Amino acid sequence: MANLGTRIYTRFKGRLVGKDADGRCYYEARTANRTGGGLKRHERWVIYHKGEDASAVPPEWWGWLHHIDDAPLPESARKSWQIPYQPNQTGTPEAYRPPGSDYRGGQRASTTSDYEAWFPEG
C-alpha cells in the first residue's frame, strides 16, 4: 500500500512494467539515473499490498527488481516441479512449528541417541 508521496512519484516518474500473479504492480523510472559506480540505469520499485513485506516479491520479479535480469521471467518459464511461491510465514499462524515446539505443546519424542550430558567434576 503506497503512501501519498509514493503515489505521486509513481504517477509522474514511473512507467508500469507489469503485475505479478497476486496483483502487485512493478514500475521503472522513465529516465535513467547515474549510480555511484557511474552507470546509468532506471530505478525500479514495487507497490505492495497493505501489510506485506519484501518477502512477498516472487522470484519471477525479484531478479528484475534488483537489476539482475533485464526483464521479469514469464510465468511460462516455471517448471512443472516448482511449487507456487509463498512469502516468509514467520510470525504468522502458518509458520513452521517443528515437533517439540512450545506452540505445539512443547513435548518432543524421546531420543535413543548416544548423547551423554557433560557434568563438571566436583
Side-chain angles (χ1 to χ4, degrees):
M1 184 83 183
N3 62 25
L4 180 61
T6 303
R7 282 187 264 167
I8 292 171
Y9 184 82
T10 300
R11 173 88 170 134
F12 291 107
K13 301 276 187 171
R15 176 182 66 85
L16 179 66
V17 174
K19 293 183 178 186
D20 65 17
D22 292 328
R24 284 175 219 92
C25 297
Y26 295 84
Y27 294 90
E28 185 172 57
R30 292 185 181 132
T31 58
N33 296 329
R34 193 167 299 278
T35 65
L39 299 173
K40 288 185 86 174
R41 65 183 188 184
H42 297 271
E43 178 184 12
R44 297 172 177 172
W45 66 95
V46 59
I47 304 295
Y48 296 102
H49 297 303
K50 187 173 185 155
E52 287 186 326
D53 65 3
S55 74
V57 175
E60 291 84 17
W61 284 94
W62 192 92
W64 175 83
L65 195 59
H66 292 89
H67 296 278
I68 295 170
D69 299 320
D70 292 330
L73 295 173
E75 278 286 323
S76 61
R78 292 190 65 82
K79 307 292 186 222
S80 61
W81 49 265
Q82 289 178 302
I83 60 173
Y85 176 73
Q86 287 187 332
N88 187 348
Q89 300 295 312
T90 302
T92 69
E94 292 81 31
Y96 173 69
R97 297 194 167 105
S101 166
D102 286 339
Y103 289 104
R104 291 183 67 184
Q107 299 294 320
R108 66 177 184 86
S110 60
T111 173
T112 59
S113 67
D114 58 356
Y115 173 78
E116 292 181 26
W118 177 84
F119 295 101
E121 293 182 29

